[in-house]
Amino acid sequence: MSDTTTFLRSMLATPGRVGAIAPSSPALATCMVDASAIRPGDVVVELGAGTGPVTAELAARLGDQNPLLVLEPDPALAARCRHNVPGVEVVEAYAQDLRALLEARGHDHADRIVSSLPFAGWSADLQDAVFDAILDVLAPGGRMVTFTYVHSPWLPAGRREKALLAKRFARVSRTPVVWANLPPAFVYVMDVDG
């Protein structure tokens, strides 16, 4: 089964949990990892790995110099990610479990969080629960990146997402549009005070 087929099946089986129509392109994965500005030794978390395009980029760049925790709660997507990026541990868990998952691996924080979670489509309560968990573990001076589609800022959910990010983080910026993605997207870059 192809990545796209696995992705579409998961999206149709659990609408709202899978917010994309296709896996992220290599260009978007590169943009996300570039924007995260990972330093040697940073503890890195990926949220919503899907079939693994961002996971593959992270694994290729990090090697053994950075601890990497990859979360994908959908079993079919997690299995496909493990197949596509062998040797990387993919945990079937939610972002709300971040504190316990990091501590179980000997870490008390994350320095960089790379997220493909569909925040804009979630309820306010779920958004708050996930961002509470993220900010609970994100170290001072830490950074989170997430992508959204180019049309999102003009939609009510996209406007709410942007306002939520501005409320939760000290600084929010964005990358140029990655046109080589379906649909085109850009990356939000969020920093916490250090």
Side-chain angles (χ1 to χ4, degrees):
M1 187 177 338
S2 74
D3 287 0
T4 302
T5 302
T6 303
F7 206 87
L8 288 172
R9 282 186 178 176
S10 290
M11 182 186 70
L12 293 171
T14 55
R17 277 198 5 208
V18 178
I21 61 168
S24 298
S25 70
L28 181 57
T30 297
C31 181
M32 291 182 74
V33 177
D34 286 348
S36 64
I38 297 167
R39 305 159 299 193
D42 277 347
V43 177
V44 180
V45 172
E46 181 186 7
L47 302 175
T51 59
V54 177
T55 313
E57 184 69 18
L58 285 166
R61 298 237 208 136
L62 299 181
D64 294 330
Q65 68 177 339
N66 295 82
L68 175 62
L69 173 60
V70 177
L71 273 58
E72 175 47 64
D74 182 283
L77 292 176
R80 192 69 187 173
C81 185
R82 289 184 197 104
H83 174 270
N84 290 340
V85 194
V88 172
E89 180 188 20
V90 180
V91 181
E92 292 176 32
Y94 292 95
Q96 295 91 317
D97 302 321
L98 269 175
R99 169 68 58 196
L101 291 167
L102 284 166
E103 287 178 352
R105 288 155 179 78
H107 307 293
D108 63 357
H109 71 277
D111 299 292
R112 297 292 187 260
I113 295 180
V114 180
S115 172
S116 298
L117 297 177
F119 296 111
W122 290 350
S123 70
D125 287 344
L126 182 54
Q127 287 175 339
D128 285 340
V130 171
F131 277 108
D132 286 348
I134 288 168
L135 291 170
D136 178 52
V137 300
L138 197 54
R143 172 173 284 186
M144 177 180 170
V145 298
T146 191
F147 76 89
T148 193
Y149 296 121
V150 71
H151 61 274
S152 177
W154 288 276
L155 301 175
R159 289 195 301 271
R160 284 192 304 274
E161 178 185 23
K162 185 177 178 183
L164 174 66
L165 298 178
K167 180 176 124 183
R168 291 290 196 136
F169 291 89
R171 283 171 304 286
V172 179
S173 60
R174 55 172 277 191
T175 67
V177 173
V178 177
W179 294 105
N181 192 71
L182 180 65
F186 62 86
V187 176
Y188 280 123
V189 181
M190 297 88 69
D191 294 305
V192 295
D193 280 331

